[in-house]
Amino acid sequence: MTAGDDAAWMARLRERILAAVPEGHDVPELARFRALQRDYPARGGKGLRGRVVLLAAAAHGADPEDALPVAAALELFQNWVLIHDDVEDDSETRRGEPALHRIAGMPVAVNVGDALHVAMWRTLIHTDAPWRNAVLAEFLDVIERTAEGQHLDLSFVAEGRFDVTEAAYLRMIERKTARYTVVAPLRLGALVAGVDPDPRLDPAGLALGRAFQIRDDVLNLLPDESGAYGKEFAGDLYEGKRTLVLARAFEVLDASDRARLRDLLGRPRAQKRPEEMREALDLLARADAIAYAQGVAERDAAQGLSGLRDAFSAAADPTAAFDLLNLLTGLAERHA
Amino acid sequence: MTAGDDAAWMARLRERILAAVPEGHDVPELARFRALQRDYPARGGKGLRGRVVLLAAAAHGADPEDALPVAAALELFQNWVLIHDDVEDDSETRRGEPALHRIAGMPVAVNVGDALHVAMWRTLIHTDAPWRNAVLAEFLDVIERTAEGQHLDLSFVAEGRFDVTEAAYLRMIERKTARYTVVAPLRLGALVAGVDPDPRLDPAGLALGRAFQIRDDVLNLLPDESGAYGKEFAGDLYEGKRTLVLARAFEVLDASDRARLRDLLGRPRAQKRPEEMREALDLLARADAIAYAQGVAERDAAQGLSGLRDAFSAAADPTAAFDLLNLLTGLAERHA
């Protein structure tokens, strides 16, 4: 697989993802149920995690064809988790359109996520590929870890705590995002190739995954001039989401600024007015917190990429490994 | 396995269920996360579905010991589905205590359900038993079907429709309840024994499962003098739940009573006062709808039990088959 035929692979991956939930049903309500399960996948995310699986499999010497169901399952995981995350955070939009629970209601959206969760397992269980057991075990671990990360995140919210430490924030995003975005796809690529994952993949993948999430937090607070980011500007402030930017601001601001920031962010979402969120942004700027987070992301990205260059220095397919590192570089330094 | 050592088996089943989520964690928030996952299982449901798996396995000639992980997984399924159902219906109580989302909040409860869903798959995937593939396939089917039934139920609610037909109601409960409560446990018992499930198990199990759910609907509308039922009295009316009792009432009441009933049930839950729900109960009594539903449940129970007696007439273990039929008789004619 070379960078040149990337579009063709993405089309095949997308087809494979949607094949997990067939269209239509004799019972009209159940046809609608399937359409709702296909909604997020059909919105066409970037397919980043699936692409990492395909390239990592190729780099380890496997035919990426063999990795397609695994890549599709990981994208299905991403989609059901997003449905539930959007419910849990009461997000407004996803991929530039209303979040599913804002279309279908919270109860229906939770159940649609559950059905897509089952479709994910079906994709992995209904195969007799030699990698099946190892891949199933990896999915069990990554989903459990992701749920733990989500719980840490939700615990901060439930306690009304904004002054989370940098260490607690990093522990949270390693579990919630970094593992399933980078570590698991790299390891899954190895497993499809029948290779024991190199132990260097874990720390390097975690560092890259942290960079990816921190860049996401930063992007959320920068004006989206190109429209490519596709999420609500400063939506994280409206949602009261804990980010490295906030952790840094609470560390360096003086007591009165901290109290004001806590007050602005702690209000119920419906009572947050745009001018107040602009004031919160000004406080973050005073702490130079966005630039600080950007610096951490760059350091983590460099560390992760360096670790992966080592791990893939003797790759079975050096071209695929080169493409993989390029993709991950773009991911860690994402601009959208 | 005889009826005499039932309590010992139930203790072992319960232990096996709780073993799926170990207690404690180095990170205090994650210790709390695990405690929340263990909450519903530790409340001690009746373990009916697990008991059916164990007895069905024995009746098909298997050692019930071999069926323990399957029985535990089915109970874990029941528990994560209940967490999500309680969120979706905004139920107040479960097994006599507050519903999980009323303790931990909706966002945390959705995520706890997801984690328990993964624990269920872990129980089935981490085994090398000869039944593994067949049992995994059965779980995929029953969970998908249950989610479809839940979607049908939620669709009625979302459309504000109370005048659901008896046929639509029965289609809904066959998917939402009957399959995972009776059909799947019976089939899983056969699969653990390495036997192809008898085709008569499906229609008989569906009939018994319908009886079980209709009895549940009826019990919800009868005063709970013993306290054994453990759910909120007439909670279904507060929740606006569609039941056979309502379907019947809307079929036989005159236009003015129908309009009044629709008005009483259609209000937001917080605006429903006890005297209004008593008025709704009076309208159901006028339609003789509770007695009608009870009659349907009795007919379905008789039909289902007769089908199962046929299917188990040459059981490998007649004593276990006898115990199984006794258990299912009690289940279909449940008084709590």
Side-chain angles (χ1 to χ4, degrees), chain B residues 30-336:
Chain B
L30 296 182
R32 163 89 173 143
F33 187 46
R34 290 183 169 174
L36 289 169
Q37 290 174 62
R38 293 165 61 92
D39 185 344
Y40 274 20
R43 290 185 190 186
K46 302 181 202 79
L48 273 176
R49 295 160 189 85
R51 289 161 77 183
V52 176
V53 171
L54 295 178
L55 280 167
H60 283 93
D63 182 346
E65 183 77 32
D66 294 339
L68 261 179
V70 179
L74 193 65
E75 289 290 328
L76 288 164
F77 170 53
Q78 154 86 344
N79 279 284
W80 74 253
V81 163
L82 288 179
I83 293 171
H84 282 185
D85 275 12
D86 287 346
V87 164
E88 292 159 18
D89 303 338
D90 194 17
S91 300
E92 299 212 357
T93 62
R94 173 63 60 188
R95 297 175 183 156
E97 294 178 46
L100 196 69
H101 66 286
R102 292 183 178 253
I103 295 171
M106 179 277 281
V108 167
V110 171
N111 191 49
V112 168
D114 289 340
L116 210 53
H117 186 166
V118 180
M120 178 204 78
W121 286 113
R122 187 182 292 276
T123 301
L124 296 172
I125 286 172
H126 280 178
T127 170
D128 53 4
W131 46 253
R132 190 176 85 144
N133 285 351
V135 164
L136 286 172
E138 185 71 23
F139 267 79
L140 288 173
D141 284 346
V142 69
I143 301 176
E144 181 184 354
R145 210 48 48 84
T146 306
E148 288 180 354
Q150 178 69 354
H151 185 77
L152 293 176
D153 199 0
L154 294 170
S155 297
F156 297 144
V157 176
E159 292 166 15
R161 282 188 53 198
F162 289 97
D163 51 346
V164 41
T165 64
E166 185 166 333
Y169 170 79
L170 294 176
R171 180 167 60 204
M172 184 265 284
I173 63 166
E174 282 190 355
R175 288 176 193 260
K176 181 180 161 156
T177 305
R179 190 158 291 273
Y180 93 93
T181 301
V182 191
V183 179
L186 291 171
R187 289 173 53 88
L188 288 167
L191 295 172
V192 168
V195 173
D196 263 352
D198 188 307
R200 289 172 291 189
L201 296 182
D202 282 58
L206 286 178
L208 273 172
R210 290 195 303 268
F212 174 76
Q213 180 60 52
I214 296 168
R215 270 300 287 170
D216 189 63
D217 295 345
V218 166
L219 285 169
N220 190 273
L221 299 176
L222 300 177
D224 179 23
E225 279 153 19
S226 72
Y229 178 62
K231 295 185 198 168
E232 183 188 18
F233 169 59
D236 290 354
L237 297 182
Y238 286 95
E239 287 175 18
K241 189 174 157 193
R242 279 60 179 169
T243 63
L244 183 59
V245 178
L246 284 194
R248 178 64 179 177
F250 278 108
E251 198 182 325
V252 302
L253 287 175
D254 67 25
S256 118
D257 282 349
R258 276 206 304 275
R260 179 65 182 157
L261 187 57
R262 201 174 286 120
D263 173 50
L264 288 167
L265 296 175
R267 299 172 188 193
R269 187 194 170 99
Q271 291 171 30
K272 286 176 174 169
R273 289 176 303 166
E275 58 271 29
E276 291 169 344
M277 293 307 104
R278 274 195 297 275
E279 188 188 340
L281 276 171
D282 288 343
L283 288 167
L284 300 180
R286 188 172 307 164
D288 213 18
I290 297 180
Y292 174 82
Q294 177 58 22
V296 173
E298 285 167 13
R299 190 197 64 206
D300 278 341
Q303 182 196 321
L305 289 168
S306 159
L308 287 192
R309 270 191 296 270
D310 287 352
F312 284 100
S313 58
D317 179 342
T319 308
F322 179 80
D323 289 345
L324 175 62
L325 284 165
N326 270 345
L327 174 64
L328 291 172
T329 303
L331 182 145
E333 298 170 356
R334 62 199 282 205
H335 298 287

Side-chain angles (χ1 to χ4, degrees), chain A residues 181-246:
Chain A
T181 300
V182 191
V183 179
L186 291 172
R187 289 173 52 88
L188 287 167
L191 295 172
V192 168
V195 173
D196 262 352
D198 188 309
R200 288 172 291 188
L201 296 182
D202 282 58
L206 286 178
L208 273 173
R210 290 194 304 266
F212 175 76
Q213 180 59 52
I214 296 168
R215 270 300 287 169
D216 189 63
D217 295 346
V218 166
L219 285 170
N220 190 274
L221 299 176
L222 299 177
D224 180 22
E225 278 153 19
S226 71
Y229 179 62
K231 295 185 197 169
E232 182 190 17
F233 169 60
D236 290 354
L237 297 183
Y238 286 95
E239 287 175 16
K241 189 173 156 193
R242 277 61 178 168
T243 63
L244 183 60
V245 179
L246 284 194

Side-chain angles (χ1 to χ4, degrees), chain A residues 102-124:
Chain A
R102 293 186 177 249
I103 295 172
M106 179 277 280
V108 166
V110 171
N111 190 49
V112 167
D114 289 339
L116 209 55
H117 186 166
V118 179
M120 177 205 78
W121 286 112
R122 186 182 293 276
T123 300
L124 296 172

